Amino acid sequence: MKLKEKISIDEFDGKRYQVRLVEPNENGKAVLTHYLHNIHNGVSKYYKDDALEVLNDFVTYKQEEEKLSIVAEDAMQQLLFEVENVPFPTPENYTFKFIDLFAGIGGFRIAMQNLGGKCVFTSEWDKEAQKTYKVNFGEVPFGDITKQQIKNYIPEEFDLLCAGFPCQAFSIAGKRGGFDDTRGTLFFDVAEIIKKHKPKAIFLENVKGLRSHDKGKTLETILNVLRNDLGYFVPEPQIINAKNFGVPQNRERIYIVGFNHNLGVTQKGRAFRSNLLFFKEKNKRISSPIPNAKAA
């Protein structure tokens, strides 16, 4: 194939192409890259129809406006090569699936991939963070997770929900804040997704100040919703400092983990070996694997 006929995900942002579209699809790159990342597994069905429509529209544009003799099959192979050849690829023999909400540039994803996980959905509204995420993983995150259109793309089949949601106060009507009291906050959207999909486990991260935010009412409401409204076993959250794990940064964050009640995880049961595992990990040299670099 001639060099001029090569295409890239970044070209989908081209002004001429966007002007051509009757209804520009702000999720076009996200749905296409998510489809390509899952093309070899069943998760692709959640993205397939919209992804192929995006791809065919773009190929038609290339053929008619730029007179390129490229077909959809060739374009698919080029884009697949692009999204798979990235610094932090999905493990070949992954053992669980997770979704990455409020993803930033992918800190949660690197950690989960290191543990053998495969990301099947990502959301991050910040455009600059999306660009970095795409460079790191070959996947463009979906945007505003509060929109139902975005939530509809979340696959049914995933084991773990990861979310670094913002710290927001709740308008608590009763003495103990419940699910409905969180409406209008981004935690409500996280809780809504948990309620619908019922993942095996949840892993939430927030700033250290969440513990004292609104005199502790914010954290109390979050734990009440997770434990009582959604039925997850949630041990007391822990504040962990990244500097204790080989990271050259004094970064304290609060972590909340929860387990679906169907797993039978309890304080006295199989789960809480966690403190032992925590201290074992703390005593290791923790570092993210650096991908093999090629000489420039």
Side-chain angles (χ1 to χ4, degrees):
M1 183 174 292
K2 297 179 181 179
L3 183 61
K4 67 179 182 179
E5 295 181 344
K6 288 187 176 181
I7 64 171
S8 168
I9 294 294
D10 292 333
E11 293 183 54
F12 286 73
D13 288 329
K15 290 184 179 180
R16 288 179 60 190
Y17 173 61
Q18 290 295 320
V19 169
R20 172 192 171 93
L21 297 176
V22 177
E23 295 183 6
N25 185 351
E26 63 179 10
N27 297 310
K29 291 195 301 181
V31 71
L32 181 56
T33 54
H34 277 69
Y35 172 68
L36 293 170
H37 260 281
N38 293 284
I39 198 168
H40 301 303
N41 64 60
V43 175
S44 62
K45 66 185 178 184
Y46 295 97
Y47 308 114
K48 183 176 181 179
D49 290 345
D50 288 352
L52 294 182
E53 181 178 345
V54 169
L55 180 64
N56 287 329
D57 284 346
F58 186 73
V59 169
T60 299
Y61 161 76
K62 283 288 190 178
Q63 292 170 341
E64 295 179 354
E65 299 294 326
E66 299 185 9
K67 309 302 180 185
L68 297 185
S69 58
I70 190 170
V71 295
E73 290 78 8
D74 291 335
M76 180 78 75
Q77 290 304 312
Q78 287 188 44
L79 297 176
L80 185 61
F81 179 83
E82 180 181 349
V83 302
E84 289 182 341
N85 286 268
V86 290
F88 303 101
T90 297
E92 290 185 9
N93 299 312
Y94 59 87
T95 57
F96 65 94
K97 298 173 183 175
F98 67 95
I99 66 172
D100 192 9
L101 308 181
F102 311 100
I105 63 173
F108 252 129
R109 181 161 177 164
I110 289 177
M112 293 301 108
Q113 288 188 171
N114 287 349
L115 294 172
K118 174 176 178 55
C119 186
V120 294
F121 175 87
T122 305
S123 174
E124 168 56 52
W125 71 273
D126 185 86
K127 297 298 183 183
E128 297 306 313
Q130 286 181 350
K131 292 177 183 177
T132 303
Y133 197 99
K134 185 257 182 183
V135 171
N136 284 337
F137 306 102
E139 195 166 69
V140 178
F142 284 93
D144 188 352
I145 195 61
T146 65
K147 296 181 179 180
Q148 190 58 48
Q149 179 189 9
I150 302 297
K151 291 190 180 98
N152 289 341
Y153 281 112
I154 300 176
E156 292 293 333
E157 304 93 355
F158 66 91
D159 304 295
L160 173 67
L161 177 147
C162 299
F165 64 99
C167 182
Q168 296 172 289
F170 304 123
S171 298
I172 301 174
K175 292 183 179 180
R176 296 188 65 189
F179 187 84
D180 288 336
D181 295 306
T182 68
R183 290 183 184 277
T185 70
L186 293 170
F187 174 74
F188 174 79
D189 294 284
V190 174
E192 193 175 48
I193 293 168
I194 295 171
K195 184 177 182 179
K196 176 182 177 181
H197 293 273
K198 299 177 175 60
K200 294 177 182 177
I202 56 177
F203 192 2
L204 311 180
E205 178 259 356
N206 212 302
V207 295
K208 175 185 176 181
L210 177 65
R211 188 182 289 279
S212 57
H213 189 261
D214 196 17
K215 299 180 181 179
K217 293 178 182 178
T218 302
L219 180 58
E220 181 183 358
T221 300
I222 289 171
L223 294 178
N224 185 54
V225 169
L226 295 175
R227 290 167 175 166
N228 299 315
D229 293 346
L230 300 179
Y232 278 71
F233 168 64
V234 181
E236 284 303 305
Q238 293 192 35
I239 294 176
I240 298 174
N241 197 326
K243 73 178 183 180
N244 296 323
F245 292 83
V247 178
Q249 183 181 14
N250 186 32
R251 181 184 175 91
E252 291 182 298
R253 292 292 184 269
I254 190 169
Y255 292 92
I256 304 170
V257 297
F259 303 90
N260 192 298
H261 66 88
N262 291 330
L263 297 178
V265 176
T266 66
Q267 190 76 35
K268 295 181 180 179
R270 62 182 180 181
F272 279 96
R273 297 184 310 170
S274 71
N275 286 337
L276 174 62
L277 293 175
F278 171 77
F279 287 112
K280 281 184 177 179
E281 289 298 316
K282 185 174 180 180
N283 289 326
K284 286 183 181 179
R285 284 184 62 87
I286 305 295
S287 61
S288 295
I290 304 299
N292 293 328
K294 295 181 179 180

